[in-house]
Amino acid sequence: MKRNIFLKFSLIVALISSLMSFAPAGGLSVVINGSVPNKDMTMVELKAFMKGTKTRWSDNSKVNLVFVNPTSSVGNQVAKAVFGTSGSEMNKALLALAFQGKISAPKFFDSEEEVAKYVKNTPGTIGIVGTDATSGATKAKINGADSF
Amino acid sequence: MKKINLFFTVLFALIVMQNGFAQTSFRGFANTQFDQPLSGKDLNGAPQKNAFGIGQYDNYVTSQLSDRFSFLGEVVFEYDGKTARLDVERVIIKYEWNNAFNVQMGKFHTPLGYWNNAYHHGELLQPTMARPFAVKFEDEGGVMAVHTTGLSITGDNIGKLNFGYDVMVGNGIGSSPVWDNNNSKSVTMNFRIEPIEGIKLGASFYNDFVTANSVTPFREDTVKVGTNQNIFNGYLVIKKSNLEVISEYYKINNKNAMMGTTSHDAFFAYAGYTINKVTPYVQFDYMKYDTKDFMYLNNNKNLTTIGFRYELAPLAVFKAGYRFGNTQLGGDYNGVQAQIAWGF
């Protein structure tokens, strides 16, 4: 009986461990400049802003995009979550949008801290960083949550 | 002409004076390739030869002149046979009113179909090695005015269906970027929806009246009698996860007193699936001319390419493929092509 319970317990522990190993790396947070009126948006709206199909905030001011280096781990995470592609494919997609004249050329920074700092100081700007790297910048809620 | 130049110079100066220096970005694209025909003939009936080649050397600039005004310019250095030349491909000044209404003026890619506006002169961003026949550039055997100088209004992401539109009036066939040979402007309309994320459906239309004795860019020949051109287009684009599908159909109708109505059909489809850095793809390209029409060099084509793209660096790709099918003037064709395209 004891052996049976031990076996079941071991199986449950193994199952939980394997599930944890597939859990995503740290979540992402959307940081916006204090001037941005859209402090609460849906995932669909976030994608529309980041992909350049919406270029104006709800008060009709201009959306400025900033990204962490697309080849970095967080850059790839952002690409997967927003564009459904790898970081380098996202980089090409952004270049294509600028080349089509749909968006102004976005800014890229090597670190999340630089992204957060730029967002804090530049009106109309939005960026995405790791949940722990917002560096005091204003967080926007996505589907009512601080991270996704 | 001088007055127009003066107007734009003063407008530019006023915008810059009002807003300080513009936020400007200079970028570019280039590519090089190798073709190895295995069978097939050129237009003179001689066997096609293998060749290395450089593609268009493309330089573009984007500039945010103010909160609402932006500028995009694109200049291409290319070879026309043996001679190098410089082409101003796009000069666009845009005023962003809101998400649903923007006004643009200058020289554009005509808002016909999907491919012609998604992919311009940089081969890096284009999924295949060559543009489909329907949207080839005018001076490379194209069949439509893929560039137009004029005025356009455009909007995107409207309502739950993500409706988007372009409406443009411009100098039509027989014109140049600085003058038109008639007062009849071409009209282009493009309407699209994206009801499900990643699935886009669209339709577009083009109309122009081509004045008698206009020189067309397609054959560098004159149209003998006044001709009314209507182009109808439909497209479906799927971009879901690693899958990309682009398919478009064009019907080109030319009507004049000499030939009556002639009708040309073009269709292409592309499908690619990305696995890490490799994207195997297939491209089908079809063009059928109406032999009565004198506007084009009639050369029906039906070619399929099986190829792949490999990402060498974030802004550099290697593309290679095997192409086969037939052309009316060249007979059966098959051959391999390889291309390296990059951005800088």
Side-chain angles (χ1 to χ4, degrees):
Chain A
M1 181 65 184
K2 275 185 182 172
R3 197 180 161 192
N4 205 6
I5 291 170
F6 177 74
L7 267 173
K8 281 181 182 170
F9 179 74
S10 304
L11 272 171
I12 290 166
V13 168
L15 186 65
I16 291 169
S17 308
S18 64
L19 283 173
M20 282 176 72
S21 69
F22 286 109
L28 297 169
S29 286
V30 175
V31 284
I32 49 173
N33 181 265
S35 67
V36 171
N38 302 51
K39 294 192 166 50
D40 198 339
M41 52 187 118
T42 64
M43 192 60 173
V44 173
E45 285 171 325
L46 173 69
K47 286 181 179 179
F49 287 124
M50 300 305 285
K51 289 179 170 179
T53 50
K54 273 192 176 209
T55 55
R56 297 263 151 196
W57 297 115
S58 58
D59 64 355
N60 215 22
S61 60
K62 184 155 182 64
V63 176
N64 295 310
L65 302 174
V66 58
F67 290 86
V68 67
N69 183 346
T71 56
S72 68
S73 149
V74 174
N76 268 294
Q77 223 179 315
V78 171
K80 190 80 191 159
V82 177
F83 285 75
T85 60
S86 66
S88 56
E89 283 297 315
M90 177 183 78
N91 193 18
K92 283 208 276 280
L94 290 166
L95 186 62
L97 287 168
F99 192 44
Q100 289 161 17
K102 293 203 184 277
I103 60 169
S104 305
K107 287 243 176 239
F108 291 95
F109 289 103
D110 281 332
S111 75
E112 297 164 81
E113 287 71 27
E114 285 173 290
V115 169
K117 194 177 164 192
Y118 183 81
V119 166
K120 223 159 53 169
N121 296 325
T122 316
T125 305
I126 180 171
I128 304 176
V129 295
T131 307
D132 300 329
T134 54
S135 302
T138 306
K139 280 189 196 175
K141 285 196 185 301
I142 304 302
N143 292 337
D146 277 342
S147 61
F148 61 97
Chain B
M1 187 59 210
K2 279 181 182 170
K3 281 181 184 171
I4 293 171
N5 282 341
L6 184 65
F7 171 76
F8 278 109
T9 308
V10 171
L11 179 68
F12 183 81
L14 280 173
I15 292 164
V16 172
M17 278 165 63
Q18 202 180 2
N19 299 282
F21 288 103
Q23 183 189 323
T24 302
S25 165
F26 293 90
R27 303 295 294 261
F29 299 104
N31 68 283
T32 181
Q33 64 185 50
F34 177 71
D35 290 351
Q36 176 63 64
L38 301 171
S39 70
K41 290 174 180 161
D42 62 22
L43 295 180
N44 299 317
Q48 292 195 22
K49 296 167 186 67
N50 60 21
F52 291 98
I54 56 169
Q56 295 181 327
Y57 180 36
D58 186 3
N59 294 270
Y60 79 95
V61 55
T62 55
S63 187
Q64 193 65 45
L65 304 177
S66 76
D67 179 56
R68 293 187 182 274
F69 277 104
S70 61
F71 162 71
L72 187 151
E74 185 180 18
V75 172
V76 166
F77 300 89
E78 61 187 336
Y79 275 85
D80 180 9
K82 291 177 182 173
T83 316
R85 69 172 191 200
L86 179 70
D87 262 355
V88 177
E89 300 291 354
R90 288 187 293 166
V91 173
I92 304 167
I93 186 148
K94 179 178 175 185
Y95 182 81
E96 277 184 36
W97 196 281
N98 56 35
N99 286 313
F101 187 80
N102 302 293
V103 183
Q104 306 178 102
M105 195 169 169
K107 183 181 179 187
F108 307 78
H109 272 212
T110 313
L112 256 173
Y114 174 82
W115 194 291
N116 194 42
N117 288 280
Y119 307 112
H120 299 86
H121 294 261
E123 305 286 355
L124 169 74
L125 303 174
Q126 180 174 274
T128 57
M129 282 178 281
R131 288 169 76 86
F133 296 132
V135 290
K136 277 204 178 296
F137 297 123
E138 298 91 336
D139 54 359
E140 294 177 2
V143 291
M144 302 184 302
V146 298
H147 296 90
T148 299
T149 303
L151 176 80
S152 125
I153 57 168
T154 178
D156 266 309
N157 203 250
I158 302 164
K160 287 189 175 172
L161 291 176
N162 289 311
F163 175 75
Y165 72 92
D166 295 276
V167 177
M168 180 175 192
V169 288
N171 297 342
I173 295 165
S175 69
S176 83
V178 293
W179 65 276
D180 199 352
N181 66 347
N182 64 24
N183 287 319
S184 163
K185 301 296 116 180
S186 67
V187 176
T188 314
M189 289 182 270
N190 189 326
F191 303 106
R192 53 203 170 262
I193 53 169
E194 192 171 342
I196 300 166
E197 188 187 350
I199 298 180
K200 194 175 277 188
L201 278 163
S204 61
F205 168 76
Y206 175 88
N207 170 263
D208 186 31
F209 182 76
V210 188
T211 310
N213 300 316
S214 292
V215 177
T216 79
F218 315 120
R219 293 185 69 177
E220 292 186 353
D221 199 357
T222 55
V223 172
K224 308 288 185 266
V225 291
T227 301
N228 190 56
Q229 180 172 76
N230 286 315
I231 301 175
F232 304 91
N233 156 263
Y235 57 91
L236 167 70
V237 178
I238 301 171
K239 287 189 180 185
K240 290 291 250 185
S241 189
N242 296 348
L243 175 72
E244 183 177 31
V245 176
I246 303 169
S247 67
E248 292 196 47
Y249 170 72
Y250 287 87
K251 178 164 271 303
I252 304 167
N253 288 342
N254 293 330
K255 187 178 181 183
N256 60 50
M258 193 185 286
M259 299 293 173
T261 300
T262 58
S263 191
H264 313 270
D265 297 285
F267 171 77
F268 63 84
Y270 158 86
Y273 190 86
T274 302
I275 307 157
N276 295 323
K277 292 184 172 187
V278 184
T279 307
Y281 70 83
V282 60
Q283 179 190 8
F284 176 69
D285 212 350
Y286 171 84
M287 181 80 222
K288 187 173 185 303
Y289 295 89
D290 189 322
T291 52
K292 285 183 297 184
D293 203 335
F294 43 71
M295 196 179 283
Y296 307 116
L297 175 68
N298 296 323
N299 185 14
N300 294 340
K301 300 170 188 131
N302 180 352
L303 291 168
T304 302
T305 306
I306 296 170
F308 71 94
R309 265 191 332 272
Y310 178 76
E311 187 188 300
L312 300 168
L315 289 181
V317 292
F318 173 75
K319 303 175 197 175
Y322 172 66
R323 202 170 201 204
F324 59 95
N326 59 73
T327 64
Q328 187 180 335
L329 299 178
D332 288 342
Y333 171 86
N334 72 98
V336 290
Q337 295 168 309
Q339 180 185 76
I340 298 175
W342 63 95
F344 52 90

